[in-house]
Amino acid sequence: MTYSLSTSLSKPLTLVAFMALALAGCNNNSQTSTETTNTNGTLDKIKESGTIVVGHRDSSIPFSYIADDPNQPIGYAHDLEMKVVEAVKQKLNMPDLKIRYNLITSQTRIPLVQNGTVDFECGSTTNNEERQKQVAFSNGFFEIGTRLLTKKDSGIQGFDDLKGKTLVTTAGTTSERYIREYNDDKKMNINIISAKDHGEGFLMLENGRAEAFMMDDVLLAGEKAKAKNPDEWVIVGEPQSFEIYGCMMRKDDPEFKAVVDDALATVFKSGEINSIYDKWFLNPIPPKNVNLKFEMSDNLKALIANPHDSDQPKVATAQ
């Protein structure tokens, strides 16, 4: 039904009716304003500001970390992140688009993406069902298994050996959640310490405050590689979960997600992903020029061949 304000005002209105009309108008204006705000996607935000804000980590070796230049993140995931930035430049026809880096941690990454401080991040963030309720994920670009890093002579060969021992893990990670549930369910009496980042976690392990460090196997390999004496350390235990890393962005923004997914798909289909992988996992990397010697798993090969944004791995083989 079409409502004519002029027609209505030509007849006497009671005070109540007039106030109701005024309130209805205010409510409609409020709803329109909210809807307009909600439809402003990430691409619009970037275009209006002339800047894309990229989230990065400082110690997620070799995915996203700081080495020699404190203002320049590097890593496997960072290289993929820059492919996304290039795709955004092309999409918006903004070759001079500015890039601003914003440091995130395991605990701050989700809120900083949600509130718009960061436009997206590609690091070592696991795509899982709980996080999907808060943020969106790109197609996966890595797959890991959660394991333990410990000294060769610690006597720890797997998770069953953790009873009564002290273990460190990184705060705000899926590993922290898993090990706390495992500890409660199995009545292991594990003393669990939460570190602010992976670097601090390994430091606690190295200085004897903890006897094992639980985290994603490839991140453990990164910490092991930068140790004073890498040969003293060993990664042990059957993986307790297989998890997929994806780029994280705000929910309900399919246009921006399509740009991110297409950028990754181009790298996968061209085969460029193999050279990027070799650069960070099979060759010496900064800052100490250590080689992780971490071969590409069958799981990751399957993910690259058939990309998806599910939180569940399509293949579950030994890593």
Side-chain angles (χ1 to χ4, degrees):
M1 173 176 146
T2 304
Y3 184 87
S4 173
L5 183 59
S6 60
T7 301
S8 177
L9 291 179
S10 68
K11 299 178 181 179
L13 285 174
T14 66
L15 179 60
V16 173
F18 186 79
M19 290 178 66
L21 179 62
L23 287 172
C26 289
N27 287 339
N28 285 337
N29 288 339
S30 175
Q31 289 173 358
T32 301
S33 175
T34 301
E35 288 169 1
T36 301
T37 300
N38 289 341
T39 56
N40 285 342
T42 302
L43 291 175
D44 291 329
K45 173 181 177 292
I46 293 169
K47 188 170 185 177
E48 290 171 7
S49 68
T51 302
I52 184 168
V53 185
V54 178
H56 75 91
R57 305 292 292 271
D58 61 357
S59 65
S60 285
I61 300 173
F63 292 93
S64 177
Y65 68 106
I66 296 296
D68 302 318
D69 184 347
N71 299 312
Q72 178 58 60
I74 60 174
Y76 170 81
H78 179 73
D79 282 357
L80 296 178
E81 208 166 35
M82 290 301 98
K83 297 293 183 182
V84 173
V85 171
E86 290 303 314
V88 171
K89 288 181 178 180
Q90 292 181 19
K91 176 72 175 179
L92 298 178
N93 192 25
M94 297 178 69
D96 298 324
L97 179 67
K98 296 178 182 178
I99 304 171
R100 180 159 61 83
Y101 297 122
N102 196 106
L103 178 64
I104 59 174
T105 68
S106 296
Q107 294 172 300
T108 65
R109 56 191 167 184
I110 290 178
L112 288 179
V113 167
Q114 286 180 311
N115 67 22
T117 301
V118 170
D119 291 320
F120 80 112
E121 69 92 21
C122 305
S124 52
T125 301
T126 295
N127 176 356
N128 62 30
E129 186 176 359
E130 181 182 356
R131 289 172 178 168
Q132 286 178 2
K133 297 174 183 177
Q134 306 173 74
V135 292
F137 285 91
S138 70
N139 289 335
F141 60 78
F142 206 85
E143 188 166 333
I144 61 87
T146 50
R147 302 182 69 193
L148 300 170
L149 181 64
T150 188
K151 275 196 170 181
K152 283 184 177 179
D153 60 0
S154 69
I156 297 173
Q157 298 297 320
F159 286 80
D160 290 343
D161 300 320
L162 293 173
K163 191 168 186 177
K165 298 186 183 300
T166 298
L167 174 140
V168 64
T169 190
T170 306
T173 62
T174 53
S175 289
E176 181 188 36
R177 180 172 181 174
Y178 174 85
I179 197 61
R180 292 191 182 281
E181 291 176 353
Y182 177 89
N183 194 29
D184 291 340
D185 292 343
K186 301 280 188 180
K187 312 297 183 189
M188 296 288 285
N189 195 32
I190 304 169
N191 178 30
I192 300 170
I193 304 173
S194 296
K196 69 178 179 65
D197 56 35
H198 310 318
E200 183 180 82
F202 181 70
L203 183 61
M204 289 181 177
L205 179 68
E206 198 171 33
N207 65 22
R209 287 187 60 190
E211 295 162 271
F213 180 16
M214 181 184 179
M215 191 42 57
D216 306 348
D217 52 6
V218 66
L219 297 177
L220 295 178
E223 295 303 319
K224 177 178 181 291
K226 71 178 187 180
K228 296 174 184 176
N229 186 354
D231 292 337
E232 288 183 354
W233 306 95
V234 60
I235 298 173
V236 300
E238 287 297 318
Q240 297 302 294
S241 64
F242 292 99
E243 302 175 0
I244 294 175
Y245 292 167
C247 297
M248 184 171 61
M249 64 207 90
R250 281 177 286 284
K251 283 179 67 67
D252 303 320
D253 192 347
E255 188 178 12
F256 184 65
K257 175 172 161 51
V259 173
V260 178
D261 285 341
D262 288 348
L264 295 177
T266 298
V267 177
F268 292 174
K269 290 177 182 177
S270 68
E272 187 179 2
I273 188 66
N274 295 310
S275 60
I276 294 175
Y277 186 95
D278 290 353
K279 172 185 174 182
W280 294 103
F281 296 95
L282 299 174
N283 281 285
I285 60 173
K288 295 185 177 181
N289 292 320
V290 294
N291 189 334
L292 272 61
K293 300 179 181 178
F294 199 88
E295 295 285 345
M296 185 182 290
S297 68
D298 291 338
N299 288 25
L300 180 53
K301 291 175 183 176
L303 182 60
I304 290 170
N306 297 286
H308 63 84
D309 63 1
S310 169
D311 63 313
Q312 295 297 321
K314 303 299 184 184
V315 182
T317 59
Q319 299 291 299

